[in-house]
Amino acid sequence: MAPGTPQSFTPRGKNIRLIETPEGVPLSVTLADSGERLGAVLIDLLAIVILIVVWSALVLSALQDRQFAEWATVLLILGIFVIHSFYFIFMELRWQGRTLGKRLLGIRVIDRKGGKLTSQAIFARNLMREIELFIPISLLASAQLYDTDQWILVTAGIWIGIFVLLPLFNDDRMRAGDLVGGTLVVEMPKAILLDDILEESPADTEAAFSFGYRFSLEQLSAYGVYELHTLEELLRRKGEAADDTAMAVAQRIQSKINWSEPWDATNPWGFLEDFYAAQRAHLEGRMLMGERKEHKDDERGASP
Amino acid sequence: MQDSSLKSYAFRKEREPGWLALEELVTKSESWGVKALSAEEKRQLPGLYRSALSSLSVARSISLDRGLLRYLEVLSARAYFVVYGPQTGFWAAMADFAVYRLPRSVRAAKGAILLSALVMLLGFVAGFGATLSDGEWFYGLVSEQMASDRTPASSRAELYDSIYGFNTDQTDRLKIFMAFLFSNNAQVGMLAFALGFAFGIPVFALLFYNGAILGAFLAIYTNHDLGLDMWAWILVHGSTELLAIILCGGGGFVLGHAVIFPGEDTRLNNLMRRGREASVIVIGAVFMFLVAGLLEAYARQLVVDMTDRFTIAAVMFLIWMTYFIFAGRGKG
């Protein structure tokens, strides 16, 4: 990147996808993994079975009389059809891209392009279930009931194989329905707002330097963003992490930056907090000038 | 280096209340749906979402507080899902679907639908011709269950009875038969669409075969000089049902075409665009199958006269054509 242009940070990774919001800010989402999706579909299948059983019980108990036998059959057939064909569509429209199974496992459907998740997308992705899910299941079921030819079983096996394994063969873990519907299944993100570490220091403006340590520009140029984030993780675990760890880290930093002044060795946390504050102020300041030093060996943002 | 009032720190202090307010709204609508938000909250949501998004954008370039970045990233994504999720709900989506989407998608796919009708017609001609010349073909095309005692060996009286004769016992059986046919047809319709994914080839076979069965039935009635009567019997519901089958086949062809020929767009984008259109057609066809089932069970039993049956068939056909050709041409 050309010097002087502000560099902004966007997360990257194998399972991370950036979706372009209509507002133009890319957002990162994490793809749901195959196990979660399998789990969700199993829960939904179970729910479908339960719904069918409940519906049948209702119809049969309401229309027990012999004279209603035909009506009961009609209601049963129609009910089973509606439950089996519209369960997924209804749920995903109702709960914004989540079925019961997806909800329980914390995943959801989104539009691949980052637009609105339209009803057509939901129709398309769920109509494909007919060949992905229901036909293989009924083939297997009928193979159990009747003596089915060997080759039908083999065909069914290949069929199931192609569709079930399809998500494993593309980077975005899309099944046929996702391809046709233009959708992705992603994790429902969860994160809580953690306090800024600087907040824990006293509230005056000199807060960041509460333990009185001072660092030179040269000393602050030794590390980059990666090291700062590692230090942040450690400081967030201040309550649980052993003082020994803090001591070791403090000493590593001191030898790296050639620290020669006296310091309070009984409280390594104090040193680390001051160093974090100073380091972050320094790096953020450089970042505003368009120099983002990613890690300690990064040449950018070196001391002038 | 005494400047401790970090810009990122001040930034957070200033924007934090907005984020927390947004998080509260998002959490609420995640568990209870967007409908659970009050009018005031609904009004605030887009503004809070956009300001969180802009906060994220700013934070990415000025803040190195990782906890904060992660939080904003996640909050924006959650809010995005709420703001850009399907807002309409099931029933509103259905209404929009019936008034605009369905007729528009059908018009957009008219080429594929005509092809689908043509394939079915070819199947019909083949089945009709074959059975007419040699009754044995009938048994090859039609399963025993489907034939339900109507075969080339049936006498004219038996066939006549199957068109005009009925008693209460039979109507009750017919109700069940209708429900069975509806769910069966609708499922086959959905299957025709989904099979389009396999380059559309199975769709050809499915349509051709369905046409051939129809042809085979008509042939045995024609042999006994009951051809017109049979047409009237079939078309009461058939003008709706055959149209629905043709539409589903058309949907399958749209999908198959998109898989094979990506056009100017990438294959994936094209598949997505056409697939969504085609799926709308298929959902529409499912409702047509339901209408067809009702016509089959009731209209056909109540209306026995051949001319009246043809009238119903023609009226239904006109209604569907008018709907598909003229509905939803306005805004929306």
Side-chain angles (χ1 to χ4, degrees), chain B residues 122-315:
Chain B
L122 285 178
F124 173 80
V125 170
F128 186 75
T131 310
L132 210 55
S133 63
D134 179 3
E136 284 303 305
W137 274 99
F138 182 86
Y139 301 101
L141 288 169
V142 184
S143 72
E144 215 171 300
Q145 184 198 7
M146 207 186 300
S148 53
D149 302 336
R150 296 168 295 174
T151 68
S154 309
S155 69
R156 185 175 196 280
E158 281 170 337
L159 290 179
Y160 185 88
D161 209 40
S162 70
I163 295 180
Y164 293 110
F166 59 92
N167 50 43
T168 357
D169 182 43
Q170 210 184 350
T171 26
D172 278 341
R173 279 225 326 275
L174 268 163
K175 251 183 259 149
I176 298 174
F177 190 55
M178 160 258 157
F180 169 76
L181 271 186
F182 159 67
S183 65
N184 197 54
N185 286 339
Q187 225 161 316
V188 169
M190 293 191 204
L191 182 62
F193 164 77
L195 284 174
F197 198 68
F199 309 112
I201 297 164
V203 185
F204 276 102
L206 204 66
L207 286 169
F208 190 88
Y209 179 59
N210 264 290
I213 293 176
L214 189 62
F217 267 117
L218 266 155
I220 58 172
Y221 283 87
T222 308
N223 270 335
H224 290 284
D225 218 14
L226 285 168
L228 264 187
D229 305 79
M230 181 60 178
W231 269 121
W233 186 81
I234 282 188
L235 286 182
V236 170
H237 71 287
S239 59
T240 300
E241 188 177 290
L242 296 176
L243 206 55
I245 293 178
I246 289 169
L247 287 182
C248 287
F253 284 137
V254 168
L255 198 57
H257 186 270
V259 173
I260 305 173
F261 308 107
E264 285 172 16
D265 213 341
T266 66
R267 199 173 292 270
L268 221 53
N269 284 347
N270 190 52
L271 182 61
M272 164 180 113
R273 220 184 42 240
R274 309 301 303 277
R276 287 181 180 179
E277 289 257 288
S279 73
V280 167
I281 300 177
V282 176
I283 295 283
V286 169
F287 287 99
M288 291 177 70
F289 282 122
L290 187 63
V291 174
L294 292 173
L295 286 170
E296 191 171 7
Y298 296 102
R300 194 159 69 189
Q301 306 313 317
L302 296 172
V303 183
V304 190
D305 183 65
M306 188 173 84
T307 328
D308 292 350
R309 281 180 174 173
F310 271 127
T311 311
I312 295 179
V315 167

Side-chain angles (χ1 to χ4, degrees), chain A residues 9 23 26 28 71 96 98 103 110-111 113-114 135 181 194 196 199 205 214 232 236 280 284 287, chain B residues 2 4 8 12-13 30-31 34 49 60-61 64-67 73 80-81 84 191 269 276 298:
Chain A
F9 168 78
E23 287 80 9
S28 67
W71 278 113
Q96 307 204 328
R98 294 175 297 170
R103 228 182 143 141
I110 63 164
D111 182 276
K113 297 279 177 210
I135 288 200
L194 299 168
D196 197 321
E199 191 127 20
T205 46
R214 293 286 183 276
E232 181 187 334
R236 288 201 189 283
R280 191 170 127 195
E284 285 181 355
M287 203 157 77
Chain B
Q2 294 299 317
S4 64
S8 62
R12 174 176 171 161
K13 279 275 148 276
E30 271 173 356
S31 2
V34 187
Y49 160 69
R60 275 172 178 166
S61 29
L64 288 174
D65 178 352
R66 190 146 71 150
E73 190 84 45
Y80 161 81
F81 291 146
Y84 288 99
L191 182 62
N269 284 347
R276 287 181 180 179
Y298 296 102

Side-chain angles (χ1 to χ4, degrees), chain A residues 7-11 19 21-23 25-29 70-71 73-74 77-78 81 84-86 89-90 92-94 96-98 103 108 110-124 127-128 130-131 135 159 163 166 174 176 179-183 186-196 198-199 205-209 214-215 217 220 225 228-229 232-233 236 276-278 280-284 287-288 292, chain B residues 1-9 12-13 16 19-20 23 29-35 49-50 53-54 56-57 59-74 76-78 80-91 93-94 96-97 101 169 172-173 175-176 178-180 182-184 186-187 190-191 193-195 197 255 266 268-269 271-280 282-283 286-287 290 298:
Chain A
Q7 294 153 39
S8 92
F9 168 78
T10 41
I19 44 176
T21 58
E23 287 80 9
V25 181
L27 281 179
S28 67
V29 290
E70 289 79 18
W71 278 113
T73 320
V74 169
I77 294 176
L78 291 183
F81 169 77
H84 136 269
S85 297
F86 290 100
I89 292 176
F90 184 82
E92 286 182 4
L93 281 173
R94 186 93 218 188
Q96 307 204 328
R98 294 175 297 170
R103 228 182 143 141
R108 74 183 308 154
I110 63 164
D111 182 276
R112 198 161 63 216
K113 297 279 177 210
K116 236 181 170 72
L117 179 61
T118 58
S119 48
Q120 295 111 290
I122 291 177
F123 291 149
L127 281 175
M128 293 304 288
E130 201 63 37
I131 53 170
I135 288 200
W159 182 294
F163 284 106
L166 190 62
M174 292 188 282
L179 288 173
V180 175
T183 50
V186 299
E187 306 256 355
M188 280 285 288
K190 285 264 178 293
I192 45 165
L193 181 54
L194 299 168
D195 287 332
D196 197 321
L198 303 180
E199 191 127 20
T205 46
E206 292 295 309
F209 300 92
R214 293 286 183 276
F215 303 92
L217 198 53
L220 292 175
V225 173
L228 183 73
H229 283 162
E232 181 187 334
E233 296 290 298
R236 288 201 189 283
Y276 172 80
R280 191 170 127 195
H282 172 70
L283 286 175
E284 285 181 355
M287 203 157 77
L288 278 180
R292 186 181 159 99
Chain B
M1 281 313 297
Q2 294 299 317
D3 177 22
S4 64
S5 56
L6 282 181
K7 287 202 170 52
S8 62
Y9 185 79
R12 174 176 171 161
K13 279 275 148 276
E16 201 173 306
W19 305 337
L20 294 175
E23 188 181 356
S29 52
E30 271 173 356
S31 2
W32 308 107
V34 187
K35 281 187 191 136
Y49 160 69
R50 270 189 277 278
L53 212 53
S54 103
L56 171 65
S57 199
R60 275 172 178 166
S61 29
I62 71 157
S63 177
L64 288 174
D65 178 352
R66 190 146 71 150
L68 174 72
L69 281 169
R70 201 178 287 155
Y71 171 77
L72 278 180
E73 190 84 45
V74 163
S76 307
R78 285 169 66 195
Y80 161 81
F81 291 146
V82 173
V83 174
Y84 288 99
Q87 289 281 333
T88 37
F90 190 72
W91 299 112
M94 286 297 150
D96 170 64
F97 172 87
R101 298 225 180 284
D169 182 43
D172 278 341
R173 279 225 326 275
K175 251 183 259 149
I176 298 174
M178 160 258 157
F180 169 76
F182 159 67
S183 65
N184 197 54
Q187 225 161 316
M190 293 191 204
L191 182 62
F193 164 77
L195 284 174
F197 198 68
L255 198 57
T266 66
L268 221 53
N269 284 347
L271 182 61
M272 164 180 113
R273 220 184 42 240
R274 309 301 303 277
R276 287 181 180 179
E277 289 257 288
S279 73
V280 167
V282 176
I283 295 283
V286 169
F287 287 99
L290 187 63
Y298 296 102

